[in-house]
Amino acid sequence: MASAKVLLIEDGQVDRMVIKGLLSKAVVPFEVETVETLAEALAAISRGSFDVILSDLTLPDSQGLDTFLRVFQSAGDVPVVVLTGSDDLTLAAKAVEEGAEAYLVKGKIDGNRLARALRYAIQRTAAEQAEWQSPMYQLAKQQFLKAAQIVGLDDNLRERLLFPQRTMTVTFPFRRDDYQEVETVFGYRVQHLLTMGPTKGGIRYHEDVNLGEVSALAMWMTWKCALMRLPFGGAKGGVRIDPTILTGHELQRLTRRFTTEILDMIGPDKDIPAPDMGTNERVMAWMMDTYSQQIGYTVPTVVTGKPVVLGGSQGRSEATGRGLVYLIAAAAEHLEMNLKGSTVVVQGFGNVGSNAARFLEELGARVVAVSDVTGGIYNPHGLSVSSLLAYTRENRVLAGYPDGEAISNEEMLELPCDILAPAAMQNQITHDNADRIKCKILAEGANGPTTLEADEILHDRDVFVLPDIVGNAGGVTVSYFEWVQGTQNYTWTLDEINSRLHTILLNAFRRALDRSARQKIDMRTAALIEGIQRVEQAKLARGLFP
Ligand code: GLU
């Protein structure tokens, strides 16, 4: 979890020291800037970007509710938590009435209470303000509207597809290991389109998850499944939490409770979750077990991306990375570029990034840079992917890897290379850096890594883009195989899986490429149109009820 920035407005020296001391000891540290007067506070607010403001109400240049109102009005979207003395409680209540997120009584604050009050204030504000206002949802809508306009999609269908068909927001408690704290967290499951069959899509655990983000991801799943001609509509789920701060037991309790909360929405013929950012096959095993316990018998097909021993498919865990590399090879062939000896930069060293790097190395490409949340490692002579994997197995993160130079994630994206594979977060290639991207192929392993403005710049600069709904579709395609095998109680070999995966991905790639050449449009829009048109046909064929 990233550290939060706190503006502490407090003129008492002792209180200041106590609070700063407590905040520095929090599990997830806070960055604190301190000011002593209202004038300084207002100046700091207009200058800085704070996540939360913690304010005393009695200052040398302002007293009482007036202090709160002045701070609150200039704070904009930033939540304000009030600090009061125990004799000032009516004042605190008034401040809360006027919009303060919470108040803390001096002398009764311990580190835990303080950190939680600030974290909750930040989270609540984010939840209230940003459920739909997510940049990712904005991007998904813009991409869809652009494609819909080019293809002349019927107005009624355009409106219908712009929002998800079903969304569910849950809040639920889960207990930390120390038996002292109960956390309340937000979870979501969104089904974008129910027309094509059951809905399908991963579950994401990340501290920034909100309804808009999950809805964007669900919409992309719709286009991805339709483009691959899988009999699914799109879905996605998520929990707003940083899974890296949880123990295994905590992760398990969180997963089981979340599964129970969304139990009515999921099912092998209804909606089938899978792993996504922050979740893995262990999480899927717990989801499957929880669902099965409630239903009364084992239902392996309620999730995909399970461990093989529970009915998971051969090849599912590496399918997204493998699929991305099949497509990179096809793109290289199209561009008459030799993969052997080509240079590769991979952003993200999770499941998708590390497998993509591994398979590219096997094909003779030179991986010159990789990165994770701790930053990038660069070695122009080439990195050894197996040694990077051994290092991250041991140390969890890439930081400190000896055989290369440390660089930032931003610098890494701008390195000269033949293939750049963003396989981490959304919103990485934007109008700020698109004109400095130096690759020939941009192979999107992540969902939504490139903004619409950046797309146009890349198109003008002749960068070949393998858009996310093509690039990372290997995951859901092998998920489909897993579901089919489970439904038939039959298993396929790894060779069968990989060869079917190759056929499906390459077929979709060629259709998108042909359309892009025929209509003189970028690959992303071409791929989206392929998906959108299939959905359009299905919707028109089914007709309208009632
Ligand atoms: N989370 C993956 C994706 O974004 C896989 C979804 C699935 O397998 O259902 O495509």
Side-chain angles (χ1 to χ4, degrees):
M1 196 185 281
S3 69
K5 276 172 88 181
V6 184
L7 175 64
L8 172 61
I9 310 170
E10 171 61 70
D11 62 328
Q13 201 188 351
V14 177
D15 288 328
R16 245 187 355 251
M17 273 171 53
V18 170
I19 289 169
K20 282 182 78 166
L22 292 174
L23 287 177
S24 69
K25 287 198 209 82
V27 189
V28 182
F30 291 86
E31 264 176 65
V32 189
E33 181 176 330
T34 329
V35 292
E36 296 177 31
T37 63
L38 179 67
E40 285 168 4
L42 297 181
I45 292 168
S46 68
R47 239 193 4 255
S49 58
F50 299 99
D51 297 301
V52 60
I53 297 170
L54 182 58
S55 179
D56 187 11
L57 297 184
T58 314
L59 302 173
D61 55 346
S62 172
Q63 268 90 47
L65 197 60
D66 201 40
T67 311
F68 169 73
L69 290 173
R70 299 279 303 275
V71 169
F72 181 68
Q73 275 151 17
S74 59
D77 291 343
V78 184
V80 182
V81 175
V82 161
L83 273 171
T84 64
S86 46
D87 48 345
D88 266 357
L89 283 187
T90 46
L91 188 57
K94 275 210 189 99
V96 169
E97 234 168 73
E98 295 290 340
E101 275 297 324
Y103 65 86
L104 290 162
V105 182
K106 290 184 198 174
K108 287 198 181 157
I109 311 174
D110 60 35
N112 207 12
R113 195 174 282 174
L114 177 63
R116 271 165 67 102
L118 296 185
R119 258 192 303 125
Y120 277 142
I122 296 170
Q123 284 177 6
R124 256 201 315 270
T125 310
E128 283 158 14
Q129 288 165 356
E131 285 298 11
W132 286 100
Q133 253 87 51
S134 112
M136 223 158 144
Y137 189 52
Q138 203 54 31
L139 176 63
K141 282 199 298 193
Q142 287 171 330
Q143 289 177 352
F144 167 63
L145 290 173
K146 178 178 170 189
Q149 199 219 346
I150 291 175
V151 77
L153 183 71
D154 175 87
D155 269 3
N156 300 308
L157 281 176
R158 196 185 58 202
E159 290 311 310
R160 185 78 193 99
L161 294 167
L162 208 47
F163 285 91
Q165 217 168 322
R166 286 184 187 160
T167 65
M168 181 154 171
T169 302
V170 295
T171 61
F172 61 97
F174 92 99
R175 180 170 58 70
R176 301 299 291 260
D177 279 352
D178 61 11
Y179 273 79
Q180 307 226 319
E181 281 192 24
V182 173
E183 298 270 352
T184 295
V185 292
F186 280 73
Y188 309 90
R189 185 72 186 169
V190 172
Q191 299 169 350
H192 175 254
L193 174 80
L194 282 83
T195 308
M196 317 299 285
T199 48
K200 187 84 193 81
I203 302 275
R204 170 173 286 209
Y205 289 173
H206 191 272
E207 61 191 311
D208 293 333
V209 158
N210 60 30
L211 189 59
E213 176 173 320
V214 177
S215 301
L217 291 161
M219 189 194 285
W220 283 327
M221 285 307 299
T222 292
W223 313 138
K224 197 186 312 188
C225 291
L227 169 65
M228 296 297 140
R229 299 184 170 164
L230 309 177
F232 297 133
K236 204 74 157 203
V239 176
R240 180 159 58 244
I241 193 151
D242 176 3
T244 62
I245 62 164
L246 303 181
T247 66
H249 292 292
E250 290 170 345
L251 198 63
Q252 178 169 172
R253 281 198 293 278
L254 175 92
T255 300
R256 290 187 181 282
R257 181 64 191 246
F258 176 58
T259 308
T260 309
E261 296 292 339
I262 62 165
L263 201 88
D264 286 344
M265 239 178 146
I266 60 174
D269 301 314
K270 265 192 195 171
D271 181 14
I272 307 135
D276 196 80
M277 192 187 289
T279 59
N280 54 21
E281 62 175 34
R282 196 164 64 138
V283 171
M284 291 306 115
W286 292 326
M287 287 195 90
M288 184 278 239
D289 182 72
T290 307
Y291 184 86
S292 300
Q293 296 297 339
Q294 304 291 330
I295 298 289
Y297 53 92
T298 299
V299 188
T301 44
V302 68
V303 295
T304 59
K306 310 174 280 292
V308 171
V309 69
L310 297 178
S313 178
Q314 297 292 338
R316 173 62 185 89
S317 66
E318 67 273 24
T320 314
R322 189 188 294 278
L324 186 63
V325 175
Y326 285 161
L327 291 156
I328 291 172
E333 198 185 313
H334 166 71
L335 300 173
E336 296 178 4
M337 195 181 119
N338 197 349
L339 264 193
K340 235 190 176 70
S342 64
T343 50
V344 176
V345 170
V346 182
Q347 185 195 34
F349 206 63
N351 176 295
V352 182
S354 66
N355 279 307
R358 182 160 71 92
F359 295 127
L360 281 164
E361 188 184 55
E362 275 175 25
L363 293 180
R366 184 154 45 102
V367 178
V368 294
V370 297
S371 71
D372 65 9
V373 282
T374 62
I377 306 285
Y378 174 49
N379 186 339
H381 307 295
L383 295 156
S384 153
V385 179
S386 52
S387 117
L388 287 165
L389 282 166
Y391 186 85
T392 49
R393 253 195 305 277
E394 186 91 346
N395 301 283
R396 257 185 66 162
V397 290
L398 287 167
Y401 181 75
D403 191 21
E405 183 192 325
I407 55 169
S408 72
N409 253 302
E410 296 77 38
E411 288 167 332
M412 202 189 70
L413 293 172
E414 297 172 18
L415 287 173
C417 62
D418 297 310
I419 298 150
L420 170 62
M425 293 288 289
Q426 58 272 18
N427 203 24
Q428 295 301 301
I429 300 162
T430 65
H431 71 277
D432 290 335
N433 61 1
D435 58 352
R436 293 194 300 276
I437 302 286
K438 298 184 189 73
C439 62
K440 299 194 180 91
I441 300 176
L442 179 71
E444 296 183 348
N447 287 307
T450 309
T451 65
L452 210 63
E453 298 97 312
D455 262 340
E456 272 156 33
I457 300 171
L458 296 173
H459 188 63
D460 290 345
R461 297 186 51 225
D462 268 344
V463 174
F464 186 89
V465 177
L466 257 177
D468 48 6
I469 62 164
V470 186
N472 67 32
V476 71
T477 303
V478 178
S479 272
Y480 165 61
F481 299 159
E482 181 173 329
W483 181 74
V484 169
Q485 292 170 84
T487 312
Q488 299 180 344
N489 295 308
Y490 186 70
T491 54
W492 305 349
T493 64
L494 182 59
D495 284 344
E496 277 173 289
I497 303 274
N498 288 343
S499 109
R500 286 177 207 252
L501 172 65
H502 191 264
T503 307
I504 291 182
L505 290 181
L506 270 281
N507 179 288
F509 173 73
R510 294 218 174 88
R511 275 184 281 121
L513 192 63
D514 286 352
R515 182 182 286 277
S516 134
R518 205 168 57 239
Q519 291 185 241
K520 298 194 174 42
I521 50 178
D522 59 275
M523 271 292 275
R524 186 185 317 281
T525 310
L528 283 168
I529 290 177
E530 281 292 310
I532 291 168
Q533 281 202 327
R534 188 173 169 88
V535 170
E536 179 185 26
Q537 285 163 12
K539 279 218 165 280
L540 293 176
R542 279 186 68 156
L544 194 60
F545 173 86

